[in-house]
């Protein structure tokens, strides 16, 4: 018997994450300073400056999660009761929770069959006189059609929010970085993302007024330069210093993380023509490969066959579209048929990892080959 291969690395173990001596030193630096709250230390502010530099935005505001970052964005856009926000049903619940928290309504537009990103035509058709904003998600690390969405938002005077939680350093077809055409872009540092500090979020913008409102909403509406005055409604979404210190180091690693993912995803893509029945559900140009999404004929069968080979795979990414969750309407079918078909039938999502090299990638390709033959 050949020796049993090591399981593929995951984000829940050291070999599937990129923590090193620098992160350890950062944690100890903060602990030794005795200042652990972001309101009084230097780490969260430094992370904001460094994030702005990395993403090319004029302003960045740190906060406690990607969901919090989206809440800063939605609150800064002035969204409240009676307003509608158009977005995709194929995303993390964090995309829509902030809209609900503001007492506004989420209106779901269908996605493109090809890559699961919002269909701009469906977005335009979902706009009503009550619509105030569009939240575009760059799903799995592949850019949404942000130019078309920008044009639609400009024409209807809507705020465009980019959810970049899965798309660190992704670019659109023309090579423009995601997060630079919307009014606000939101990032997550949750355990499963490209880089992590456990939890954490960042919102970037070119607009100083949106930045000011987001900063106030992040810290109880309290501009700490002018005494104890609460200018606006705000929550406590501050990022702790320990988190910010780790995030600062992780930020220096994200380019390498994305480069490694691009190399291994390209290797898998090159093997796909030899695997009948599986094609890439993404445009490779500019993709940052949070996951590798595939089109298959029966995602449940493929996922089961891959699990047998020790390769993790998610049929459909979600179990149900966001609108079919009890927290929303719970209505299950018919609203966004393309999203439903992807989830129920044709989308197979491979979790990806920067620790995947040639060996791991070839193993995954082999497992796909076996699944195709089964
Ligand atoms: C992870 C994620 C979020 C939420 O981020 P958290 O840090 O988990 O709150 C929002 N949108 C998308 C697309 C995500 O993948």
């Amino acid at each position: 018997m050949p020796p049993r291969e090591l399981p593929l690395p995951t984000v829940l173990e050291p070999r599937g994450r990129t923590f090193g001596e620098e992160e350890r030193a950062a944690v100890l630096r903060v602990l030794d300073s005795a200042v652990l709250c972001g309101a009084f230390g230097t780490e969260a502010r430094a992370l904001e400056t460094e994030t702005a530099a990395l993403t090319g935005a004029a302003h960045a505001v740190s906060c406690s999660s990607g969901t919090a970052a989206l809440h800063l964005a939605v609150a800064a856009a002035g969204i409240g009761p009676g307003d509608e926000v158009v977005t995709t049903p194929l995303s993390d619940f964090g995309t829509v929770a902030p809209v609900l928290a503001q007492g506004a309504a989420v209106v779901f537009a269908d996605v493109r069959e090809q890559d699961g990103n919002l269909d701009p035509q469906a977005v335009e058709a979902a706009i009503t006189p009550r619509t105030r904003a569009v939240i575009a998600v760059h799903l799995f690390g592949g850019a949404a059609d942000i130019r078309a969405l920008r044009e639609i938002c400009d024409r209807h005077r809507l705020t465009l929010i980019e959810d970049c939680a899965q798309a660190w350093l992704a670019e659109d077809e023309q090579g423009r970085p995601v997060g630079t055409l919307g009014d606000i872009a939101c990032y997550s540092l949750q355990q499963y993302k490209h880089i992590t500090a456990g939890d954490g979020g960042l919102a970037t913008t070119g607009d100083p007024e949106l930045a000011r409102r987001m900063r106030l909403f992040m810290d109880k509406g309290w501009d700490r330069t002018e005494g104890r005055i609460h200018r606006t409604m705000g929550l406590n979404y501050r990022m702790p210093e320990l988190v910010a210190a780790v995030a600062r180091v992780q930020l220096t690693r994200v380019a390498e993380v994305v480069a490694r993912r691009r190399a291994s995803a390209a290797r898998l893509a090159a093997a796909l023509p030899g695997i009948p029945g599986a094609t890439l559900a993404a445009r490779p140009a500019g993709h940052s490969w949070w996951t590798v999404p595939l089109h298959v004929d029966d995602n449940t069968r493929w996922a089961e066959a891959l699990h047998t080979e020790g390769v993790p795979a998610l049929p459909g990414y979600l179990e149900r579209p966001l609108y079919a969750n009890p927290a929303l309407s719970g209505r299950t079918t018919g609203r966004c048929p393309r999203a439903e078909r992807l989830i129920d039938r044709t989308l197979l999502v491979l979790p990806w990892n920067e620790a995947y090299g040639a060996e791991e990638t070839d193993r995954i390709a082999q497992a796909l080959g076996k699944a195709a033959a089964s």
Side-chain angles (χ1 to χ4, degrees):
M1 280 248 298
R4 247 192 92 69
E5 288 169 308
L6 223 52
L8 291 167
T10 79
V11 292
L12 296 177
E13 54 188 324
R15 67 199 176 102
R17 295 278 36 161
T18 53
F19 301 132
E21 280 310 312
E22 294 85 350
E23 281 85 350
R24 297 174 75 93
V27 167
L28 294 176
R29 177 177 75 233
V30 171
L31 211 48
D32 291 344
S33 79
V35 179
L36 273 61
C37 172
F40 311 110
T42 56
E43 303 287 343
R45 298 296 85 75
L47 174 66
E48 289 165 350
T49 305
E50 289 154 10
T51 300
L54 179 78
T55 60
H59 310 274
V61 179
S62 63
C63 57
S64 53
S65 70
T67 307
L70 284 149
H71 200 177
L72 301 187
V74 166
I79 286 153
D83 295 337
E84 293 177 357
V85 175
V86 180
T87 193
T88 167
L90 200 53
S91 185
D92 184 87
F93 188 69
T95 303
V96 297
V99 178
L100 304 177
Q102 289 301 102
V106 180
V107 175
F108 290 100
D110 210 348
V111 300
R112 301 187 292 208
E113 186 94 48
Q114 209 282 319
D115 66 354
N117 273 312
L118 270 175
D119 172 3
Q121 276 188 320
V123 169
E124 180 134 41
I127 291 170
T128 76
R130 289 181 298 282
T131 309
R132 297 287 304 280
V134 172
I135 304 178
V137 176
H138 301 294
L139 192 67
F140 307 139
D145 190 348
I146 204 71
R147 277 163 207 272
L149 294 171
R150 177 76 271 173
E151 189 272 316
I152 291 167
C153 286
D154 286 346
R155 205 147 28 76
H156 295 270
R157 299 177 175 279
L158 308 176
T159 302
L160 178 59
I161 297 166
E162 294 185 69
D163 182 342
C164 302
Q166 304 181 358
W168 282 97
L169 302 190
E171 293 166 1
D172 72 7
E173 255 166 313
Q174 287 82 23
R176 186 181 174 116
V178 302
T180 57
L181 267 186
D183 299 287
I184 299 171
C186 298
Y187 297 84
S188 167
L189 296 163
Q190 187 260 359
Q191 181 81 37
Y192 276 78
K193 311 299 176 169
H194 286 82
I195 54 171
T196 186
D199 269 311
L202 290 151
T204 64
T205 181
D207 180 337
E209 177 56 18
L210 288 175
R212 188 186 72 84
R213 287 189 221 150
M214 291 199 290
R215 188 170 297 287
L216 284 172
F217 197 76
M218 179 267 281
D219 192 14
K220 305 180 198 173
W222 185 1
D223 174 352
R224 288 169 184 263
T225 62
E226 56 164 7
R228 198 150 185 161
I229 304 171
H230 301 275
R231 288 281 164 199
T232 61
M233 160 60 193
L235 295 167
N236 177 353
Y237 276 155
R238 293 188 302 259
M239 177 184 284
E241 288 289 273
L242 285 166
V243 171
V246 172
R248 289 180 68 194
V249 184
Q250 287 277 289
L251 211 59
T252 68
R253 305 197 193 281
V254 69
E256 171 77 12
V257 163
V258 171
R260 291 178 65 95
R261 285 168 180 255
R262 284 184 173 146
S264 51
R267 190 176 175 95
L268 184 75
L272 281 179
I275 300 164
T279 54
L280 214 49
R283 216 178 353 85
H287 210 289
S288 71
W289 306 112
W290 181 58
T291 62
V292 173
L294 302 174
H295 283 299
V296 295
D297 57 349
D298 178 351
N299 52 15
T300 308
R301 182 182 70 74
W302 279 75
E304 280 166 7
L306 289 174
H307 281 135
T308 311
E309 297 297 316
V311 172
L314 294 168
Y317 168 50
L318 304 175
E319 288 171 27
R320 53 177 70 90
L322 285 176
Y323 52 76
N325 281 281
L328 284 128
S329 71
R331 199 177 108 189
T332 49
T333 52
R335 260 205 242 178
C336 296
R338 288 190 296 258
E340 288 176 19
R341 190 173 150 71
L342 285 165
I343 292 169
D344 295 340
R345 197 77 193 164
T346 60
L347 177 65
L348 182 73
V349 173
L350 306 177
W352 213 245
N353 196 294
E354 56 278 5
Y356 289 180
E359 193 194 312
E360 289 79 7
T361 307
D362 292 348
R363 243 166 91 185
I364 293 165
Q366 269 170 25
L368 283 166
K370 284 194 190 174
S374 75

